[in-house]
Amino acid sequence: PKIVFSVKFRRTQRNFVLGPRISRDLKIGTYVKVEADRGEDLGIVIGKVSADKFNFASRTQYTAGMGPPGGMGGSTAADLKRIVRLATHDEV
């Protein structure tokens, strides 16, 4: 089953799924590089939830007039950007 990860940046927080080059055992507190509008961003994993629960929460919050976590209205796990790789020591 796919997992949706919450990643925190300096001013914001968004949700991501794992990219093809990263292992499944990503722990909370791990620094990662994620897809961004222009290249990659550095963030820290602060939570994770199964894609099924994320999709259900997105639908229920969207129908209640609220956006799902991450600020994308009506998004599902399939719509999310990816965690590209673990951050190196120098990047942190």
Side-chain angles (χ1 to χ4, degrees):
K2 284 199 168 196
I3 298 175
V4 176
F5 292 88
S6 291
V7 178
K8 185 178 185 312
F9 305 98
R10 287 180 189 232
R11 295 184 180 96
T12 187
Q13 174 181 327
R14 300 223 25 202
N15 296 306
F16 294 87
V17 293
L18 291 178
R21 294 179 14 190
I22 198 160
S23 68
R24 294 275 182 209
D25 57 348
L26 208 61
K27 293 186 171 73
I28 292 174
T30 304
Y31 284 92
V32 292
K33 295 290 274 192
V34 300
E35 290 179 345
D37 292 338
R38 297 183 186 151
E40 298 177 347
D41 276 342
L42 174 70
I44 185 169
V45 176
I46 61 167
K48 57 184 174 180
V49 67
S50 72
D52 292 337
K53 287 184 181 178
F54 177 81
N55 291 337
F56 178 76
S58 295
R59 283 195 307 270
T60 56
Q61 289 180 354
Y62 186 64
T63 56
M66 301 166 43
M72 301 296 288
S75 67
T76 63
D79 299 331
L80 299 175
K81 292 187 178 181
R82 296 179 178 169
I83 296 175
V84 178
R85 61 183 172 84
L86 298 177
T88 64
H89 189 283
D90 293 336
E91 292 170 328
V92 176

